[in-house]
Amino acid sequence: MAACGTDRLGSRSLLAVLCLLSGSSRAQDSAMEEIVTEKQVEASHRQDTVNLLIFILLLTLTILTIWLFKHRRFRFLHETGLATIYGLIVGVVLRYGIHVPSDVNNVTESCELQTSPATLIMNVSGKFYEYTLKGEISPKELNNVQDNEMLRKVTFDTEVFFNILLPPIIFYAGYSLKRRHFFRNLGSILAYAFLGTAISCCVIGSLIYGCVKLMQVTGTLAGNFYFTDCLFFGAIISATDPVTVLAIFHELQVDVELYALLFGESVLNDAVAIVLSSSIGAYRPAGENTHTFDITAMLKSVGIFLGIFSGSFAMGAATGVVTALVTKFTKLREFPLLETGLFFLMSWSTFLLAEACGYTGVVAVLFCGITQAHYTYNNLSTESQIRTKQLFELLNFLAENFIFSYMGLALFTFQNHIFNPTFIVGAFIAVFLGRAANIYPLSFLLNLGRRNKIRANFQHMMMFAGLRGAMAFALAFRDTATYARQMMFSTTLLIVFFTVWVFGGGTTAMLSCLNIRVGVDADHDQMGVPENERRSTKTESAWLFRLWYNFDHNYLKPLLTHSGPPLTATLPSCCGPIARCLTSPQAYENQEQLKDDDDSDLILNDGDISLTYGDSTVSTDPVTSNSSSRRGVGNSSEDAIDRELASGDHELIIRGTRLVMEECEPPVSLQVTRRPSPM
């Protein structure tokens, strides 16, 4: 009995010792796991820091090289082209020059699943760990997981592009828009941006579809590529980004009409392209085959296009209006830092709000920028006006060059490239033909109704300046899950590189070859052109602009800003209490001396004015008789002036000065007298 008791006691002691040893071992294992985890977190942090440092060094090197080019007056390569070249160099080094040693802790386990879950929960020795999907790995790359991880860290999330990098670029395009020249060519710009982009999308999509069929016949197509994919590629590659050309235009002071047409088209073109691509992506015919033609699905896509675009436009304009009202009816201008902060946050939140509501943030933030520039800018203090302009100009510069640097990097760091020679050649041909189908037929039709024709050399320059850039890259990069989308992304990169380097670098030579005048002052852009082209009352935009200007000047500007006539003078008497409530004291102070805005250089209400037009003197006199206004009109050009200023609102451009003459009592009559020509 004593022996049995002793045995039991010994067994219990041994069991206790084993438990203690086991607990101590688990504690040591847990401590080791914590140490390993801390080291992994620290290593990951360092890797992320190095990745960001690489891009900052790329931007720094780009800025220094830009200074050298500007100092030496080199124009054969723009800063965006430089950024892509530096990105390519760094991409080659990361891909082929740096090898990360394999981690002994990496374990490869096989598991039969029908789909790839976004999140995976694994039970490891009683502990549950969560793993997230990072992407597909080729069987050949299983031994290079660490290298793939490094390249994957350099590859940014698409949400970073759309939520952080794109908003300042698009907002600055609207905020810096030269509205005077934009509205003068509004009809043509809308035609190129909406109708032209749709034509380009259809032409490119059809040609790419033929190319895909050829690839099927030759056996070089390794995956599915439907007609909707072809149209989607046509939509994203139709987004032009002539930032290189426009920068050279601005530096050389190219003809302001050409600049306005190209800039206005590119601003709205990006918005149309992204909404068009969303509409094509929403095309879902009924039935099992979702890639057949269905009229109902097509009409639904058209409705989605109109709904998304109009909703995004309304949301962007509404945010700008709210910001204008806040800055008008508060005293934020007394605190410029708070004023600038509010302006910045309201502008950026427009993009996020539109995306959260299912609309397109690019369209919303574009029209928010236009609205902010037209209304809110007038309410800001002088310090905030300067600060907001410089802030968004800086953000636009950094974001744009960052994206172009990343494009060069992505050519080597993106791990699922598909380069098909047949598709690449077909895409290049389709892009050029699509641009030609956009510019030349529409220019011919627009010239039928324009007094100031879009000349042939302007059309050739617009064709040449159809570069692809940040928007086409971002749209292609947003979805690279399928075989077709991966091929689109790889081809888009090559098209962007070619157009930026070749067309961007050849801009100066093309301007000289096409005899397009440079060194033109925007305020005197009417000098040196034929007399019949000096008048800005264009058939396609004059009536639209006059209607908009009158409504804006009499109601919107007084409501949203401190400028313009008081609402008490423009609204009916029955709205007197509301008008007095919404009219600021500054508006009454400015009633006698209205500030000139960007859309009107001179408002004529009454009084006399005389000015020189060619070899004639045009004068307005409220007391001059009708008979005197008809004498002295001896040639066709003077008759044309009289007809243009005969009824309603009248508009005339004389050496950069526009006269908007409104009907008043007594009616203004015009006296045109011939000035003797110097002998």
Side-chain angles (χ1 to χ4, degrees), residues 200 203-205 207-208 233 425-435:
S200 176
V203 170
I204 294 175
L207 293 175
I208 290 296
F233 179 73
V425 173
F428 270 89
I429 296 174
V431 165
F432 297 139
L433 293 180
R435 182 66 179 172

Side-chain angles (χ1 to χ4, degrees), residues 215 220-225 416 418 420 480-489:
M215 293 163 60
T220 57
L221 189 67
N224 295 325
F225 210 118
N416 296 313
I418 298 177
N420 188 303
T480 56
T482 64
Y483 170 84
R485 298 300 173 88
Q486 292 169 2
M487 188 184 297
M488 292 180 202
F489 175 69

Side-chain angles (χ1 to χ4, degrees), residues 386-422:
I386 298 173
R387 188 177 289 171
T388 54
K389 283 282 187 182
Q390 293 178 342
L391 173 63
F392 281 101
E393 184 179 8
L394 175 63
L395 291 176
N396 169 74
F397 172 80
L398 293 177
E400 200 156 55
N401 283 280
F402 185 94
I403 290 179
F404 276 92
S405 298
Y406 183 76
M407 287 186 199
L409 203 67
L411 187 63
F412 293 98
T413 59
F414 184 71
Q415 302 175 64
N416 296 313
H417 278 303
I418 298 177
F419 295 104
N420 188 303
T422 305

Side-chain angles (χ1 to χ4, degrees), residues 126-395:
K127 292 185 177 181
F128 294 90
Y129 298 90
E130 179 183 0
Y131 293 86
T132 56
L133 178 66
K134 291 188 175 181
E136 182 182 0
I137 298 178
S138 173
K140 300 178 182 178
E141 301 291 336
L142 289 178
N143 296 324
N144 300 320
V145 175
Q146 291 298 107
D147 289 339
N148 295 335
E149 179 66 17
M150 181 193 66
L151 297 177
R152 188 180 292 111
K153 279 183 173 292
V154 181
T155 304
F156 281 90
D157 189 352
T158 57
E159 298 305 317
V160 173
F161 281 93
F162 273 86
N163 294 332
I164 297 179
L165 296 178
L166 276 184
I169 296 176
I170 303 301
F171 180 86
Y172 182 72
Y175 196 53
S176 62
L177 183 68
K178 296 182 182 298
R179 295 180 302 282
R180 180 190 310 171
H181 304 291
F182 178 84
F183 283 109
R184 287 180 188 173
N185 298 277
L186 181 61
S188 299
I189 290 172
L190 291 177
Y192 286 127
F194 283 87
L195 188 57
T197 304
I199 292 174
S200 176
C201 172
C202 294
V203 170
I204 294 175
S206 301
L207 293 175
I208 290 296
Y209 187 67
C211 181
V212 169
K213 289 297 182 183
L214 177 62
M215 293 163 60
Q216 288 178 344
V217 172
T218 57
T220 57
L221 189 67
N224 295 325
F225 210 118
Y226 302 102
F227 183 66
T228 51
D229 295 322
C230 299
L231 288 179
F232 181 83
F233 179 73
I236 64 174
I237 208 64
S238 295
T240 59
D241 186 18
V243 57
T244 305
V245 176
L246 291 174
I248 296 175
F249 278 14
H250 180 74
E251 185 178 351
L252 297 178
Q253 292 185 310
V254 175
D255 191 295
V256 69
E257 294 297 322
L258 175 60
Y259 185 95
L261 286 172
L262 192 59
F263 182 76
E265 182 221 356
S266 67
V267 167
L268 293 180
N269 166 272
D270 287 348
V272 174
I274 190 170
V275 179
L276 192 60
S277 62
S278 300
S279 303
I280 294 172
Y283 179 81
R284 292 290 184 272
E288 297 181 358
N289 190 350
T290 59
H291 297 280
T292 58
F293 177 77
D294 185 83
I295 187 64
T296 304
M298 187 191 73
L299 294 177
K300 182 180 179 181
S301 295
V302 173
I304 291 174
F305 173 86
L306 298 176
I308 292 178
F309 195 93
S310 58
S312 303
F313 164 77
M315 189 167 292
T319 307
V321 167
V322 170
T323 311
L325 290 173
V326 170
T327 53
K328 176 184 177 182
F329 291 106
T330 62
K331 295 184 179 180
L332 271 176
R333 61 185 295 115
E334 297 177 0
F335 306 94
L337 183 60
L338 300 180
E339 188 179 37
T340 305
L342 176 69
F343 183 92
F344 176 81
L345 294 176
M346 290 291 290
S347 302
W348 202 304
S349 63
T350 304
F351 184 93
L352 302 177
L353 179 62
E355 292 289 333
C357 294
Y359 295 108
T360 300
V362 171
V363 179
V365 79
L366 170 64
F367 287 100
C368 176
I370 296 174
T371 308
Q372 300 278 44
H374 191 60
Y375 299 114
T376 311
Y377 183 82
N378 297 320
N379 299 335
L380 300 178
S381 61
T382 303
E383 185 177 348
S384 294
Q385 289 178 343
I386 298 173
R387 188 177 289 171
T388 54
K389 283 282 187 182
Q390 293 178 342
L391 173 63
F392 281 101
E393 184 179 8
L394 175 63
L395 291 176

Side-chain angles (χ1 to χ4, degrees), residues 26 29 33 122-129:
R26 284 198 296 268
D29 291 343
E33 286 182 3
M122 293 194 65
N123 184 353
V124 181
S125 301
K127 292 185 177 181
F128 294 90
Y129 298 90

